């Protein structure tokens, strides 16, 4: 659902307070405080609609395809860590259309009937904004609780929010766009950001769309097509892509045919990834694994190795195949 609304601010005793009205799960209203930022709306998209349902590569994390078991068709997501000690409630707060939903919610460590452990409350106001408050020992308002337990390695994508389970007694959530979020580990809760990514996830990419960021300030959004024969990189910014054929307009997208042993460039044009790109995972220089592809990103170029062993690249100096 692509919906948007403003989030109402309430500040109590120096901490953010998560509250819900009593009633059924689909009546839940979350009240929290965030700082609003203006974000440009995305363009229309030709990205595959079912890309988010594709299985993750790698051996540790995997995207949950059936999120209905956590929401039961409502706009409220309830789930817990595998050991049941960390319980989370996330509510989509939306009344009008927009590029991505907004969420408010919280996670309680220690169980709803146990003495309060660490509590985290958070809200998303846009793909670029994620506010939270760590508040040990407080009760986060009305909590339904009792959601299904996630398994170790499972990832729930509630664009623009992603939640994940590293171990039996840990659970976290983050914004893929900038990798900011939190991680509850046993009795401890901590804020995380891009500097923690390698420690928690190794080189695994958690979502279908990635935003490669280069040392010159340029970027490009890449994803694999649903047919498994095309890998697309679009919305290129400040990269030396050539003009479109027969035109003086610079291209900003390239399409690689990856069906054979060695990839080939199928074409390039001016094409926007659209709304899906707003929540693409930030991918600074490093080594990554994305749907069977290995990515070596050195800040100037990102070189992809396909499952068949072929290579192609995008970077500051354009794109190509090796």
């Amino acid at each position: 659902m692509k919906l948007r609304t403003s989030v109402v601010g309430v500040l109590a005793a120096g901490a953010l307070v998560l509250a819900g009205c009593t009633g059924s799960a689909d009546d839940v209203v979350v009240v929290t405080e965030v700082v609003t930022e203006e974000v440009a709306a995305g363009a229309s998209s030709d990205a595959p609609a079912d890309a988010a349902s594709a299985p993750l590569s790698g051996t540790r994390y995997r995207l949950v395809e059936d999120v209905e078991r956590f929401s039961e068709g409502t706009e409220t997501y309830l789930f817990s860590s595998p050991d049941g000690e960390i319980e989370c409630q996330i509510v989509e707060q939306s009344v009008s259309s927009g590029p991505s939903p907004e969420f408010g919610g919280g996670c309680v460590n220690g169980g709803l009937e146990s003495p309060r452990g660490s509590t985290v409350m958070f809200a998303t106001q846009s793909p670029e904004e994620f506010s939270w408050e760590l508040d040990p020992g407080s009760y986060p308002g009305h909590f339904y609780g009792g959601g299904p337990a996630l398994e170790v390695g499972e990832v729930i994508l509630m664009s623009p929010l992603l939640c994940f389970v590293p171990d039996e007694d840990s659970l976290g959530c983050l914004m893929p766009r900038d990798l900011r979020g939190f991680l509850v580990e046993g009795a401890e809760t901590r804020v995380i950001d891009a500097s923690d990514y390698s420690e928690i996830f190794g080189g695994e990419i958690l979502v279908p769309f990635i935003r490669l960021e280069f040392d010159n300030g340029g970027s490009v959004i890449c994803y694999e097509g649903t047919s498994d024969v095309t890998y697309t990189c679009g919305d290129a910014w400040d990269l030396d892509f050539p003009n479109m054929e027969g035109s003086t307009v610079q291209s900003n997208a390239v399409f690689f045919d990856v069906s054979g042993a060695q990839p080939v460039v199928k074409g390039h044009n001016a094409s926007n990834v659209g709304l899906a790109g707003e929540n693409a995972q930030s991918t600074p220089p490093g080594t990554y694994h994305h749907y069977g592809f290995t990515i070596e990103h050195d800040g100037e170029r990102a070189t992809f190795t396909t499952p068949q062993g072929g290579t192609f690249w995008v970077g500051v100096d354009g794109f190509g195949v090796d």
Side-chain angles (χ1 to χ4, degrees), residues 55-62 153 201 203-205 289-293:
L56 289 175
S57 64
T59 58
R60 181 167 174 80
Y61 289 97
R62 58 194 178 280
F201 303 106
E204 290 188 54
I205 300 292
H289 303 285
H290 187 230
Y291 294 82
F293 295 79

Side-chain angles (χ1 to χ4, degrees), residues 38 79 82 87 109 197 201 215 225 234 305 318:
E38 184 176 348
F79 52 89
E87 298 197 57
N109 180 7
Y197 191 84
F201 303 106
D215 291 346
T305 301

Side-chain angles (χ1 to χ4, degrees), residues 33-247:
E33 179 176 74
V34 299
V35 178
T36 303
E37 297 177 0
E38 184 176 348
V39 179
S44 60
S45 173
D46 59 358
D50 59 344
S53 66
L56 289 175
S57 64
T59 58
R60 181 167 174 80
Y61 289 97
R62 58 194 178 280
L63 200 62
V64 173
E65 295 187 23
D66 179 20
V67 297
E68 288 289 314
R69 63 186 171 109
F70 302 103
S71 65
E72 295 185 352
T74 71
E75 295 175 355
T76 301
Y77 294 82
L78 303 173
F79 52 89
S80 66
S81 58
D83 65 4
E85 290 298 304
I86 305 167
E87 298 197 57
C88 297
Q89 173 174 297
I90 298 176
V91 182
E92 184 178 327
Q93 303 172 293
S94 311
V95 295
S96 61
S97 62
S100 59
E102 298 158 3
F103 290 92
C107 295
V108 176
N109 180 7
L112 299 182
E113 306 304 323
S114 304
R116 296 277 73 78
S118 296
T119 300
V120 59
M121 288 159 277
F122 58 90
T124 68
Q125 179 72 8
S126 74
E128 292 186 334
E129 184 178 322
F130 187 8
S131 67
W132 59 84
E133 184 80 8
L134 306 181
D135 186 21
S138 76
Y139 182 70
H142 183 79
F143 228 75
Y144 287 100
L150 283 162
E151 298 178 5
V152 174
E154 284 194 318
V155 174
I156 300 180
L157 181 58
M158 300 161 287
S159 181
L161 183 68
L162 175 151
C163 295
F164 59 94
V165 181
D167 295 293
E168 289 282 337
D169 63 347
S170 62
L171 192 154
C173 298
L174 57 76
M175 297 281 280
R177 186 181 181 97
D178 59 12
L179 306 180
R180 293 182 300 132
F182 66 87
L183 176 62
V184 183
E185 298 175 292
E188 303 297 325
T189 303
R190 63 181 172 123
V191 172
I192 59 175
D193 58 26
S195 66
D196 301 296
Y197 191 84
S198 179
E199 170 201 341
I200 300 170
F201 303 106
E204 290 188 54
I205 300 292
L206 303 180
V207 297
F209 293 81
I210 60 174
R211 177 180 286 101
L212 295 164
E213 299 159 347
F214 298 94
D215 291 346
N216 72 333
S219 64
V220 67
I221 296 173
C222 299
Y223 61 93
E224 184 183 19
T226 55
S227 62
D228 297 328
V229 299
T230 303
Y231 202 97
T232 299
C233 291
D235 280 6
W237 174 262
D238 211 11
L239 305 180
D240 191 18
F241 278 29
N243 291 343
M244 293 188 294
E245 186 174 351
S247 171

